[in-house]
């Protein structure tokens, strides 16, 4: 059963590892930012109420699931979508359900909506490899390039890998 909520928090690696040890009943994943080796994020997809005091919580809006291992190269894409943009975005996601309608190397997509701001979305894409993500990002016909974040023309994209 897919979770209805996903929670995140950020902090030092050792502090986040202590949270993992203190909550073995949770589905917790530790991530390290690709561009900032000192930035860590803890991801709780247990579907239970948050254990994080200063974290972020999102509602799962849609999940296009191809691989349940949560393994690969992670793209966290933050989007601000008005009502019309949400319709276009949903149509793009409808195409991604078909294998021939989604980008090459994409294993899984989870669409989340902020619990506090209903126009704020987070798209988590799990790629086979970083090269697949880079190739797709540089395509001129990349349909997601039309969506921005918080008044900016482009989405905020943060790349992560699973931390050990």
């Amino acid at each position: 059963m897919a979770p209805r909520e996903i929670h995140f928090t950020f902090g030092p690696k050792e502090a986040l590892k202590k949270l993992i040890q203190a909550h073995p009943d949770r589905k917790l994943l530790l991530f390290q930012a690709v561009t900032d080796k000192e930035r860590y994020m803890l991801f709780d997809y247990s579907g239970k109420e948050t254990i994080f005091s200063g974290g972020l919580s999102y509602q799962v809006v849609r999940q296009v699931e191809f691989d349940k291992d949560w393994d690969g190269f992670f793209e966290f894409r933050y989007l601000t979508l008005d009502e019309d943009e949400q319709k276009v975005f949903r149509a793009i996601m409808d195409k991604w359900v078909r294998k021939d309608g989604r980008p090459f190397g994409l294993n899984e997509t989870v669409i989340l909506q902020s619990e506090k701001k209903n126009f704020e979305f987070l798209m988590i894409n799990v790629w086979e490899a970083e090269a697949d993500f880079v190739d797709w990002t540089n395509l001129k016909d990349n349909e997601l390039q039309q969506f921005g974040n918080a008044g900016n023309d482009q989405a905020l994209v943060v790349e992560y890998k699973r931390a050990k």
Side-chain angles (χ1 to χ4, degrees):
M1 181 176 186
R4 289 184 284 192
E5 288 184 320
I6 294 180
H7 311 284
F8 307 86
T9 194
F10 301 88
K13 182 178 182 179
E14 294 311 314
L16 297 178
K17 280 190 164 192
K18 286 180 183 177
L19 276 173
I20 293 170
Q21 291 171 347
H23 298 279
D25 60 319
R26 296 289 180 135
K27 295 178 180 176
L28 300 171
L29 297 175
L30 183 63
F31 290 96
Q32 181 181 32
V34 171
T35 57
D36 181 355
K37 303 295 185 203
E38 298 302 313
R39 183 175 169 92
Y40 288 88
M41 175 184 62
L42 190 58
F43 179 96
D44 179 358
Y45 68 104
S46 66
K48 299 177 181 179
E49 192 170 317
T50 187
I51 57 172
F52 308 137
S53 59
L56 301 170
S57 295
Y58 287 88
Q59 295 289 322
V60 176
V61 176
R62 184 167 193 176
Q63 186 166 4
V64 180
E65 191 170 337
F66 313 112
D67 181 5
K68 295 184 181 186
D69 292 337
W70 285 91
D71 197 21
F73 182 80
F74 288 78
E75 167 202 1
F76 284 66
R77 180 175 291 267
Y78 296 87
L79 306 163
T80 304
L81 304 172
D82 65 26
E83 289 180 22
D84 290 333
E85 290 170 326
Q86 288 178 41
K87 291 174 188 173
V88 174
F89 183 73
R90 278 193 293 275
I92 294 168
M93 291 302 98
D94 288 345
K95 290 191 286 185
W96 283 21
V97 172
R98 294 183 334 272
K99 185 174 182 170
D100 65 344
R102 63 181 179 255
F104 177 80
L106 181 66
N107 288 341
E108 184 167 2
T109 296
V110 181
I111 310 299
L112 307 167
Q113 187 171 17
S114 172
E115 292 184 345
K116 296 180 181 175
K117 299 177 183 175
N118 64 349
F119 290 109
E120 298 295 325
F121 291 82
L122 170 57
M123 178 181 204
I124 303 171
N125 291 321
V126 185
W127 295 89
E128 234 3 88
E130 183 176 7
D132 296 327
F133 163 72
V134 170
D135 289 346
W136 173 74
T137 298
N138 293 323
L139 288 176
K140 288 183 181 179
D141 62 348
N142 179 334
E143 294 177 298
L144 293 187
Q145 290 178 350
Q146 66 186 298
F147 303 119
N149 174 259
N152 296 309
D153 289 342
Q154 296 181 334
L156 171 63
V157 177
V158 183
E159 302 150 26
Y160 285 95
K161 62 181 180 176
R162 293 274 299 271
K164 305 285 186 226

